[in-house]
Amino acid sequence: MKKRLVEKRNAADLACVLKLPQGRRLLWRILQAAQIEEHGFVPGDGLATAFHCGQKSIGLFLLQQIAQVSPHLLSQMHAEYLSEVTSGQNEINQESEEMHNV
């Protein structure tokens, strides 16, 4: 298969995944696991540094692919994640208040 056709198919596949909230959540978790916002250096441990840099490399590749296919969805994915975190924190705060009021 020609390289251009493969690239088009890959972009279309990613666009389909990004259309689904579940797909965006999955990709966001992968980006978090890749620690793309952290440096990979581990003082005194070259193997751990190499491992972390490898993780980050995959994460940056995925980030680049998402940005090419649908750049606006990166901010949407982040907003959805923050909304989920806020919702979870609100539940924790509410449970804490209920425990103190008993």
Side-chain angles (χ1 to χ4, degrees):
M1 193 180 288
K2 291 185 177 182
K3 184 178 178 181
R4 172 76 79 195
L5 290 175
V6 171
E7 289 173 355
K8 272 182 107 169
R9 184 190 65 196
N10 290 345
D13 291 348
L14 182 56
C16 285
V17 171
L18 287 167
K19 287 180 184 178
L20 301 171
Q22 299 90 336
R24 292 190 300 275
R25 283 194 304 266
L26 172 65
L27 293 175
W28 191 260
R29 285 195 313 270
I30 293 169
L31 289 172
Q32 284 184 307
Q35 301 181 36
I36 58 173
E37 295 180 357
E38 304 294 325
H39 64 77
F41 180 66
V42 179
D45 193 343
L47 292 176
T49 296
F51 176 79
H52 288 210
C53 288
Q55 280 183 307
K56 186 173 182 173
S57 177
I58 295 298
L60 292 173
F61 169 80
L62 180 57
L63 188 66
Q64 176 194 24
Q65 296 294 301
I66 294 168
Q68 285 178 350
V69 169
S70 214
H72 70 282
L73 286 179
L74 282 173
S75 59
Q76 182 178 342
M77 288 168 61
H78 188 246
E80 289 170 348
Y81 167 74
L82 291 177
S83 175
E84 191 172 296
V85 167
T86 301
S87 175
Q89 186 61 51
N90 289 340
E91 287 179 26
I92 291 169
N93 292 344
Q94 184 177 359
E95 287 176 11
S96 178
E97 282 181 32
E98 290 172 0
M99 289 176 70
H100 283 76
N101 292 331
V102 173

XYZ file of all heavy atoms in Angstrom:
802
model
N 0.838 -1.171 0.000
C 0.000 0.000 0.000
C 0.889 1.243 0.000
O 1.899 1.285 0.670
C -0.895 -0.039 1.249
C -2.019 0.957 1.196
S -3.113 0.944 2.653
C -3.989 -0.578 2.429
N 0.471 2.231 -0.751
C 1.266 3.448 -0.828
C 1.271 4.186 0.506
O 0.303 4.169 1.256
C 0.710 4.358 -1.924
C 0.913 3.815 -3.313
C 0.448 4.826 -4.327
C 0.732 4.300 -5.722
N 0.351 5.251 -6.746
N 2.411 4.830 0.763
C 2.600 5.531 2.040
C 1.505 6.570 2.271
O 0.981 6.695 3.378
C 3.979 6.184 2.063
C 4.303 6.837 3.379
C 5.694 7.426 3.387
C 5.961 8.112 4.710
N 7.275 8.723 4.763
N 1.146 7.314 1.255
C 0.123 8.365 1.376
C -1.226 7.765 1.789
O -1.923 8.314 2.632
C 0.002 9.126 0.056
C -1.131 10.101 -0.026
C -0.916 11.374 0.718
N -0.077 12.260 -0.034
C 0.503 13.319 0.488
N 0.327 13.603 1.756
N 1.249 14.093 -0.217
N -1.581 6.618 1.211
C -2.846 5.970 1.556
C -2.843 5.470 2.999
O -3.845 5.579 3.710
C -3.133 4.801 0.606
C -3.486 5.182 -0.837
C -3.614 3.936 -1.706
C -4.782 5.983 -0.867
N -1.716 4.938 3.423
C -1.594 4.471 4.805
C -1.739 5.644 5.768
O -2.436 5.552 6.784
C -0.256 3.728 5.023
C -0.031 3.441 6.490
C -0.220 2.447 4.207
N -1.093 6.758 5.466
C -1.184 7.940 6.318
C -2.627 8.454 6.398
O -3.100 8.823 7.473
C -0.258 9.033 5.806
C 1.210 8.732 6.020
C 2.139 9.732 5.356
O 1.653 10.639 4.632
O 3.362 9.609 5.550
N -3.329 8.444 5.257
C -4.727 8.885 5.235
C -5.598 7.957 6.070
O -6.457 8.408 6.830
C -5.256 8.932 3.802
C -5.028 10.228 3.078
C -5.628 10.177 1.706
C -6.867 11.027 1.633
N -7.353 11.213 0.261
N -5.377 6.656 5.924
C -6.155 5.677 6.689
C -5.883 5.839 8.181
O -6.795 5.817 8.996
C -5.838 4.257 6.245
C -6.711 3.213 6.960
C -6.263 1.820 6.725
N -4.940 1.667 7.321
C -4.113 0.672 7.044
N -4.441 -0.247 6.185
N -2.928 0.596 7.633
N -4.616 6.010 8.553
C -4.262 6.184 9.955
C -4.907 7.431 10.551
O -5.384 7.423 11.687
C -2.746 6.223 10.135
C -2.100 4.877 9.883
O -2.767 3.849 9.840
N -0.797 4.882 9.698
N -4.909 8.515 9.781
C -5.538 9.759 10.230
C -7.044 9.569 10.402
O -7.633 10.042 11.382
C -5.247 10.887 9.253
N -7.667 8.865 9.477
C -9.108 8.598 9.570
C -9.420 7.717 10.771
O -10.417 7.929 11.474
C -9.612 7.954 8.281
N -8.568 6.728 11.028
C -8.755 5.860 12.200
C -8.695 6.672 13.486
O -9.545 6.526 14.374
C -7.682 4.767 12.249
C -7.823 3.728 11.155
O -8.871 3.688 10.478
O -6.861 2.953 10.972
N -7.702 7.537 13.585
C -7.542 8.366 14.782
C -8.723 9.324 14.926
O -9.229 9.529 16.034
C -6.217 9.128 14.739
C -5.885 9.991 15.949
C -5.901 9.186 17.246
C -4.528 10.660 15.754
N -9.181 9.900 13.830
C -10.325 10.811 13.878
C -11.561 10.096 14.419
O -12.326 10.673 15.204
C -10.601 11.388 12.494
N -11.746 8.832 14.043
C -12.883 8.050 14.554
C -12.777 7.851 16.059
O -13.768 7.964 16.779
C -12.957 6.692 13.851
S -13.579 6.781 12.172
N -11.581 7.550 16.533
C -11.368 7.355 17.976
C -11.616 8.665 18.719
O -12.235 8.672 19.784
C -9.942 6.819 18.253
C -9.633 6.814 19.736
C -9.768 5.432 17.657
N -11.166 9.766 18.154
C -11.302 11.073 18.809
C -12.745 11.558 18.866
O -13.075 12.414 19.684
C -10.431 12.105 18.104
C -8.929 11.957 18.338
C -8.149 12.820 17.351
C -8.569 12.302 19.768
N -13.605 11.031 18.021
C -15.016 11.433 18.029
C -15.741 10.915 19.266
O -16.745 11.481 19.681
C -15.732 10.916 16.777
C -15.364 11.662 15.527
C -16.106 11.119 14.330
C -15.644 11.811 13.063
N -16.303 11.271 11.873
N -15.224 9.847 19.848
C -15.885 9.224 20.993
C -15.297 9.733 22.313
O -14.070 9.806 22.455
C -15.706 7.705 20.942
C -16.249 6.997 19.712
C -15.801 5.546 19.715
C -17.764 7.098 19.699
N -16.134 10.059 23.286
C -15.602 10.464 24.593
C -14.697 9.377 25.184
O -13.671 9.692 25.797
C -16.849 10.667 25.461
C -17.984 10.805 24.520
C -17.591 10.103 23.262
N -15.077 8.135 24.991
C -14.262 7.034 25.510
C -12.891 7.010 24.842
O -11.879 6.742 25.497
C -14.957 5.679 25.261
C -16.294 5.536 25.935
C -17.466 6.006 25.074
O -17.326 6.823 24.164
N -18.646 5.498 25.382
N -12.849 7.293 23.554
C -11.578 7.332 22.836
C -10.689 8.464 23.320
O -9.486 8.293 23.500
N -11.297 9.635 23.549
C -10.522 10.774 24.048
C -9.988 10.490 25.444
O -8.844 10.820 25.756
C -11.372 12.055 24.028
C -11.695 12.527 22.618
C -12.323 13.905 22.603
N -13.571 14.006 23.326
C -14.770 13.717 22.831
N -14.881 13.273 21.584
N -15.858 13.854 23.566
N -10.815 9.856 26.287
C -10.335 9.517 27.635
C -9.181 8.525 27.567
O -8.179 8.666 28.285
C -11.478 8.930 28.478
C -12.439 9.965 29.000
C -13.335 9.400 30.093
N -14.081 8.227 29.671
C -15.329 8.249 29.182
N -15.957 9.404 29.047
N -15.933 7.135 28.844
N -9.289 7.529 26.703
C -8.226 6.539 26.558
C -6.930 7.196 26.092
O -5.868 6.971 26.669
C -8.635 5.441 25.575
C -7.537 4.445 25.205
C -7.120 3.635 26.415
C -7.999 3.542 24.082
N -7.016 8.019 25.062
C -5.815 8.677 24.549
C -5.212 9.615 25.596
O -3.986 9.706 25.706
C -6.130 9.429 23.254
C -6.502 8.537 22.072
C -6.920 9.378 20.869
C -5.361 7.601 21.703
N -6.054 10.301 26.371
C -5.533 11.190 27.410
C -4.779 10.397 28.465
O -3.724 10.812 28.934
C -6.664 12.005 28.043
C -6.117 13.088 28.911
C -6.007 13.084 30.267
C -5.527 14.315 28.471
N -5.417 14.239 30.706
C -5.109 15.010 29.621
C -5.340 14.902 27.226
C -4.506 16.257 29.559
C -4.737 16.142 27.173
C -4.329 16.802 28.325
N -5.323 9.209 28.835
C -4.624 8.368 29.816
C -3.276 7.905 29.280
O -2.290 7.852 30.014
C -5.484 7.150 30.195
C -6.631 7.504 31.119
C -7.254 6.281 31.778
N -7.537 5.177 30.893
C -8.672 4.983 30.220
N -9.652 5.865 30.320
N -8.843 3.916 29.470
N -3.234 7.589 28.000
C -1.965 7.173 27.388
C -0.968 8.328 27.414
O 0.202 8.144 27.755
C -2.176 6.646 25.954
C -2.975 5.336 25.999
C -0.844 6.448 25.239
C -3.460 4.858 24.642
N -1.432 9.532 27.082
C -0.549 10.702 27.116
C -0.039 10.956 28.534
O 1.126 11.297 28.726
C -1.275 11.937 26.577
C -1.545 11.947 25.073
C -2.439 13.129 24.700
C -0.253 11.968 24.283
N -0.908 10.776 29.531
C -0.470 10.946 30.917
C 0.565 9.887 31.292
O 1.562 10.194 31.946
C -1.657 10.856 31.868
C -2.520 12.089 31.873
C -3.613 11.977 32.902
O -4.359 11.009 32.933
N -3.706 12.972 33.748
N 0.330 8.651 30.890
C 1.264 7.570 31.208
C 2.618 7.812 30.559
O 3.657 7.431 31.107
C 0.698 6.224 30.764
N 2.619 8.467 29.405
C 3.863 8.755 28.696
C 4.639 9.906 29.340
O 5.790 10.152 28.973
C 3.571 9.083 27.232
N 4.020 10.584 30.284
C 4.658 11.677 31.016
C 5.288 12.709 30.074
O 6.446 13.104 30.236
C 5.697 11.132 31.994
C 5.118 10.183 33.019
C 6.149 9.669 33.994
O 7.055 10.394 34.385
N 6.013 8.426 34.399
N 4.507 13.153 29.112
C 5.042 14.065 28.091
C 5.424 15.431 28.647
O 6.186 16.150 28.017
C 4.066 14.234 26.909
C 2.712 14.766 27.380
C 3.911 12.925 26.153
C 1.764 15.119 26.262
N 4.914 15.773 29.822
C 5.244 17.073 30.408
C 6.395 16.994 31.404
O 6.742 17.984 32.041
C 3.998 17.678 31.061
C 2.914 17.998 30.038
C 1.668 18.587 30.651
O 1.599 18.715 31.897
O 0.766 18.932 29.893
N 6.982 15.823 31.538
C 8.091 15.626 32.468
C 9.370 15.369 31.671
O 9.327 14.909 30.536
C 7.822 14.405 33.361
C 6.517 14.468 34.126
C 6.477 15.577 35.154
O 7.534 15.848 35.760
O 5.403 16.172 35.338
N 10.497 15.651 32.273
C 11.753 15.275 31.635
C 12.023 13.817 31.983
O 11.530 13.302 32.979
C 12.914 16.188 32.040
C 13.263 16.124 33.493
N 13.970 15.095 34.040
C 12.971 16.967 34.504
C 14.112 15.287 35.328
N 13.517 16.435 35.644
N 12.786 13.133 31.175
C 13.007 11.720 31.390
C 14.247 11.379 32.185
O 14.489 10.215 32.493
N 15.019 12.383 32.539
C 16.299 12.131 33.196
C 16.117 11.600 34.608
O 15.377 12.158 35.418
C 17.126 13.415 33.224
C 18.466 13.247 33.877
C 19.444 12.443 33.304
C 18.750 13.881 35.071
C 20.685 12.280 33.910
C 19.984 13.735 35.688
C 20.948 12.920 35.103
N 16.784 10.492 34.913
C 16.820 9.934 36.263
C 18.285 9.930 36.685
O 19.079 9.139 36.163
C 16.242 8.506 36.307
C 16.318 7.937 37.713
C 14.813 8.479 35.783
N 18.682 10.819 37.597
C 20.091 10.919 37.987
C 20.668 9.569 38.427
O 20.079 8.865 39.235
C 20.076 11.909 39.163
C 18.817 12.692 38.977
C 17.836 11.752 38.337
N 21.780 9.213 37.825
C 22.489 8.002 38.202
C 21.917 6.716 37.649
O 22.405 5.635 37.979
N 20.875 6.796 36.833
C 20.257 5.581 36.307
C 19.971 5.741 34.818
O 18.908 6.192 34.407
C 18.972 5.261 37.068
C 18.444 3.869 36.794
O 18.845 3.250 35.800
O 17.616 3.390 37.604
N 20.965 5.373 34.025
C 20.842 5.504 32.572
C 19.731 4.659 31.979
O 19.072 5.072 31.014
N 19.510 3.475 32.553
C 18.447 2.618 32.021
C 17.068 3.207 32.285
O 16.192 3.180 31.414
C 18.549 1.208 32.618
C 19.777 0.408 32.188
C 19.815 -0.938 32.910
C 19.796 0.210 30.683
N 16.864 3.745 33.474
C 15.581 4.383 33.783
C 15.386 5.619 32.916
O 14.276 5.883 32.438
C 15.502 4.744 35.262
N 16.447 6.368 32.687
C 16.367 7.535 31.813
C 15.958 7.112 30.406
O 15.061 7.712 29.806
C 17.713 8.280 31.768
O 17.997 8.778 33.083
C 17.684 9.439 30.781
N 16.596 6.069 29.892
C 16.253 5.574 28.550
C 14.800 5.117 28.492
O 14.082 5.391 27.530
C 17.192 4.434 28.156
N 14.355 4.423 29.529
C 12.976 3.952 29.578
C 12.003 5.123 29.540
O 11.060 5.139 28.757
C 12.753 3.111 30.841
C 11.337 2.656 31.013
C 10.861 1.572 30.289
C 10.485 3.310 31.889
C 9.547 1.147 30.436
C 9.173 2.886 32.046
C 8.707 1.804 31.316
N 12.238 6.123 30.392
C 11.341 7.281 30.453
C 11.363 8.069 29.144
O 10.322 8.561 28.707
C 11.712 8.181 31.625
C 11.352 7.578 32.945
N 11.016 8.313 34.045
C 11.273 6.290 33.352
C 10.740 7.516 35.059
N 10.918 6.281 34.661
N 12.522 8.175 28.535
C 12.609 8.880 27.254
C 11.858 8.127 26.168
O 11.245 8.736 25.290
C 14.065 9.101 26.860
S 14.884 10.340 27.876
N 11.883 6.814 26.224
C 11.118 6.006 25.278
C 9.622 6.210 25.454
O 8.884 6.359 24.473
N 9.172 6.211 26.698
C 7.760 6.484 26.979
C 7.360 7.848 26.421
O 6.328 7.995 25.773
C 7.495 6.514 28.487
C 7.350 5.195 29.158
C 7.018 5.383 30.631
O 7.709 6.100 31.351
N 5.966 4.744 31.072
N 8.182 8.823 26.719
C 7.884 10.187 26.299
C 7.860 10.291 24.785
O 7.011 10.988 24.213
C 8.914 11.160 26.884
C 8.596 12.603 26.615
C 9.550 13.516 27.351
C 9.186 14.961 27.094
N 9.979 15.871 27.914
N 8.756 9.583 24.114
C 8.808 9.607 22.661
C 7.491 9.118 22.046
O 6.964 9.719 21.106
C 9.979 8.754 22.170
O 10.004 8.702 20.772
N 6.953 8.041 22.596
C 5.678 7.523 22.107
C 4.562 8.527 22.377
O 3.707 8.780 21.526
C 5.355 6.153 22.755
C 6.374 5.108 22.320
C 3.930 5.712 22.435
C 6.405 4.820 20.830
N 4.573 9.114 23.559
C 3.565 10.117 23.893
C 3.618 11.325 22.974
O 2.580 11.825 22.524
N 4.820 11.787 22.673
C 4.964 12.934 21.770
C 4.522 12.589 20.354
O 3.927 13.424 19.661
C 6.408 13.446 21.784
C 6.848 14.082 23.098
C 8.351 14.400 23.065
C 6.034 15.330 23.407
N 4.782 11.352 19.933
C 4.297 10.896 18.626
C 2.772 10.949 18.593
O 2.179 11.471 17.649
C 4.791 9.467 18.339
C 4.117 8.837 17.157
C 4.512 9.145 15.862
C 3.079 7.928 17.344
C 3.870 8.568 14.770
C 2.451 7.346 16.264
C 2.842 7.668 14.972
N 2.125 10.417 19.631
C 0.667 10.421 19.688
C 0.132 11.846 19.727
O -0.828 12.177 19.036
C 0.193 9.625 20.906
C -1.308 9.524 21.115
C -2.006 8.921 19.899
C -1.595 8.697 22.363
N 0.761 12.689 20.512
C 0.360 14.087 20.597
C 0.433 14.767 19.230
O -0.477 15.488 18.828
C 1.251 14.811 21.605
C 0.894 16.231 21.975
C -0.427 16.286 22.709
C 1.997 16.825 22.844
N 1.506 14.502 18.505
C 1.671 15.075 17.161
C 0.575 14.576 16.218
O 0.016 15.352 15.443
C 3.043 14.714 16.607
C 3.249 15.194 15.184
C 4.467 14.547 14.527
O 4.887 13.460 14.923
N 5.005 15.203 13.530
N 0.266 13.301 16.292
C -0.771 12.734 15.433
C -2.129 13.374 15.725
O -2.866 13.722 14.806
C -0.861 11.209 15.625
C 0.375 10.453 15.202
C 0.609 10.531 13.710
O -0.234 10.128 12.932
N 1.749 11.062 13.310
N -2.452 13.526 17.001
C -3.722 14.142 17.376
C -3.768 15.583 16.887
O -4.772 16.037 16.336
C -3.932 14.083 18.907
C -4.087 12.632 19.360
C -5.139 14.920 19.327
C -4.014 12.452 20.871
N -2.669 16.313 17.066
C -2.608 17.719 16.639
C -2.787 17.849 15.133
O -3.399 18.806 14.659
C -1.290 18.344 17.079
N -2.291 16.898 14.367
C -2.438 16.940 12.911
C -3.863 16.632 12.482
O -4.397 17.256 11.577
C -1.483 15.961 12.239
C -0.052 16.399 12.222
C 0.863 15.364 11.581
O 0.487 14.238 11.307
N 2.101 15.763 11.355
N -4.480 15.666 13.149
C -5.820 15.225 12.755
C -6.886 16.200 13.238
O -7.801 16.547 12.504
C -6.113 13.803 13.294
C -7.565 13.425 13.141
C -5.222 12.787 12.597
N -6.771 16.644 14.483
C -7.814 17.467 15.071
C -7.257 18.294 16.233
O -7.458 17.957 17.394
C -8.936 16.543 15.562
O -10.168 17.132 15.436
N -6.556 19.385 15.924
C -5.884 20.150 16.971
C -6.814 20.675 18.062
O -6.431 20.729 19.226
C -5.208 21.292 16.224
C -5.732 21.289 14.850
C -6.374 19.956 14.609
N -8.042 21.018 17.724
C -8.963 21.552 18.732
C -9.349 20.502 19.770
O -9.733 20.842 20.884
C -10.217 22.122 18.072
C -11.112 21.087 17.470
N -10.849 20.480 16.264
C -12.246 20.520 17.943
C -11.787 19.592 16.005
N -12.655 19.599 17.008
N -9.212 19.233 19.417
C -9.595 18.190 20.358
C -8.585 18.019 21.495
O -8.930 17.470 22.539
C -9.825 16.863 19.641
C -11.127 16.802 18.846
C -11.286 15.471 18.151
C -12.329 17.076 19.736
N -7.370 18.495 21.313
C -6.401 18.447 22.418
C -6.905 19.268 23.599
O -6.892 18.808 24.737
C -5.032 18.956 21.973
C -4.201 17.980 21.169
C -2.949 18.666 20.633
C -3.832 16.779 22.009
N -7.385 20.476 23.319
C -7.898 21.312 24.406
C -9.200 20.737 24.955
O -9.454 20.808 26.161
C -8.086 22.757 23.952
O -8.981 22.826 22.872
N -10.008 20.126 24.095
C -11.239 19.498 24.563
C -10.922 18.314 25.476
O -11.549 18.148 26.529
C -12.097 19.026 23.391
C -13.403 18.400 23.841
C -14.277 17.969 22.679
O -14.097 18.408 21.550
N -15.243 17.115 22.965
N -9.941 17.503 25.099
C -9.541 16.367 25.913
C -9.076 16.843 27.290
O -9.430 16.266 28.314
C -8.418 15.575 25.228
C -8.867 14.789 24.026
S -7.494 14.148 23.023
C -6.653 13.092 24.171
N -8.288 17.902 27.300
C -7.785 18.451 28.562
C -8.935 18.973 29.407
O -8.992 18.721 30.628
C -6.760 19.549 28.290
C -6.066 20.028 29.514
N -6.233 21.303 29.981
C -5.236 19.403 30.376
C -5.521 21.455 31.082
N -4.910 20.314 31.354
N -9.863 19.682 28.790
C -11.014 20.233 29.522
C -11.878 19.110 30.088
O -12.355 19.198 31.231
C -11.844 21.124 28.606
N -12.080 18.054 29.322
C -12.867 16.922 29.800
C -12.177 16.252 30.990
O -12.832 15.875 31.969
C -13.092 15.913 28.673
C -14.043 16.407 27.608
C -14.089 15.539 26.367
O -13.224 14.646 26.197
O -15.003 15.767 25.548
N -10.876 16.126 30.909
C -10.114 15.539 32.010
C -10.244 16.404 33.266
O -10.518 15.894 34.349
C -8.647 15.381 31.614
C -7.739 15.086 32.776
C -7.731 13.827 33.376
C -6.910 16.070 33.302
C -6.908 13.561 34.461
C -6.087 15.804 34.382
C -6.091 14.549 34.959
O -5.278 14.295 36.033
N -10.067 17.708 33.117
C -10.165 18.609 34.272
C -11.566 18.583 34.874
O -11.722 18.620 36.096
C -9.779 20.034 33.873
C -8.310 20.255 33.545
C -8.083 21.693 33.095
C -7.430 19.907 34.734
N -12.579 18.487 34.033
C -13.952 18.405 34.510
C -14.159 17.135 35.324
O -14.811 17.154 36.384
C -14.916 18.430 33.323
O -16.235 18.236 33.761
N -13.603 16.041 34.850
C -13.709 14.765 35.563
C -12.982 14.840 36.913
O -13.490 14.363 37.930
C -13.125 13.656 34.703
C -13.404 12.263 35.207
C -12.954 11.217 34.210
O -13.511 11.164 33.104
O -12.034 10.453 34.560
N -11.807 15.440 36.911
C -11.045 15.584 38.157
C -11.811 16.467 39.136
O -11.932 16.133 40.322
C -9.635 16.164 37.883
C -8.960 16.601 39.166
C -8.789 15.147 37.143
N -12.359 17.564 38.668
C -13.119 18.478 39.522
C -14.344 17.780 40.098
O -14.645 17.915 41.283
C -13.537 19.735 38.727
O -12.356 20.379 38.250
C -14.340 20.701 39.584
N -15.029 17.034 39.267
C -16.206 16.297 39.717
C -15.828 15.297 40.810
O -16.517 15.184 41.828
C -16.848 15.574 38.533
O -17.905 14.768 38.959
N -14.737 14.587 40.600
C -14.260 13.633 41.600
C -13.884 14.313 42.895
O -14.182 13.812 43.986
N -13.248 15.462 42.791
C -12.857 16.210 43.995
C -14.085 16.710 44.730
O -14.137 16.680 45.961
C -11.932 17.379 43.631
C -11.372 18.090 44.842
C -10.534 17.173 45.731
O -9.643 16.486 45.257
N -10.850 17.155 47.020
N -15.102 17.147 43.995
C -16.339 17.608 44.636
C -17.017 16.476 45.400
O -17.548 16.693 46.493
C -17.294 18.201 43.603
C -16.810 19.536 43.075
O -15.992 20.199 43.699
N -17.312 19.919 41.913
N -17.001 15.272 44.828
C -17.573 14.109 45.524
C -16.810 13.828 46.819
O -17.417 13.550 47.859
C -17.544 12.883 44.619
C -18.554 12.907 43.501
C -18.460 11.674 42.614
O -18.004 10.614 43.087
O -18.849 11.781 41.437
N -15.495 13.901 46.747
C -14.667 13.668 47.939
C -14.973 14.720 49.000
O -15.135 14.396 50.184
C -13.171 13.670 47.575
C -12.834 12.431 46.740
C -12.297 13.749 48.827
C -11.455 12.461 46.110
N -15.076 15.983 48.592
C -15.371 17.061 49.539
C -16.738 16.862 50.188
O -16.898 17.073 51.391
C -15.312 18.419 48.848
C -13.914 18.794 48.423
O -12.929 18.216 48.879
N -13.813 19.756 47.519
N -17.721 16.454 49.382
C -19.062 16.238 49.906
C -19.067 15.090 50.915
O -19.665 15.199 51.980
C -20.035 15.944 48.765
C -21.466 15.803 49.213
C -22.416 15.590 48.054
O -22.016 15.559 46.890
N -23.689 15.436 48.355
N -18.389 13.994 50.611
C -18.319 12.863 51.531
C -17.605 13.269 52.818
O -18.021 12.867 53.912
C -17.580 11.685 50.872
C -18.388 10.997 49.800
C -17.607 9.897 49.097
O -16.507 9.508 49.558
O -18.093 9.432 48.051
N -16.583 14.088 52.695
C -15.847 14.550 53.875
C -16.745 15.400 54.780
O -16.748 15.245 55.998
C -14.621 15.333 53.447
O -13.928 15.817 54.566
N -17.526 16.283 54.163
C -18.449 17.116 54.922
C -19.486 16.265 55.638
O -19.811 16.503 56.805
C -19.165 18.116 54.000
C -18.318 19.306 53.617
C -19.092 20.265 52.739
O -20.334 20.385 52.879
O -18.454 20.913 51.883
N -20.018 15.252 54.931
C -21.026 14.378 55.529
C -20.440 13.611 56.715
O -21.120 13.418 57.726
C -21.572 13.404 54.480
C -22.432 14.076 53.431
C -22.811 13.153 52.284
O -22.417 11.972 52.282
O -23.499 13.638 51.376
N -19.188 13.186 56.615
C -18.552 12.456 57.711
C -18.351 13.362 58.923
O -18.506 12.937 60.060
C -17.205 11.887 57.257
C -17.337 10.737 56.282
S -15.769 10.167 55.673
C -15.091 9.405 57.147
N -18.049 14.644 58.695
C -17.843 15.590 59.803
C -19.154 16.013 60.445
O -19.175 16.433 61.601
C -17.076 16.815 59.305
C -15.613 16.559 59.129
N -15.133 15.854 58.070
C -14.550 16.905 59.884
C -13.816 15.771 58.171
N -13.427 16.408 59.264
N -20.239 15.923 59.701
C -21.550 16.326 60.223
C -22.257 15.207 60.971
O -23.313 15.430 61.542
C -22.444 16.835 59.096
C -21.945 18.136 58.517
O -21.303 18.928 59.208
N -22.232 18.371 57.260
N -21.679 14.039 60.992
C -22.323 12.906 61.676
C -22.136 12.970 63.149
O -21.381 13.470 63.805
C -21.765 11.557 61.122
C -22.286 10.402 61.935
C -22.112 11.414 59.679
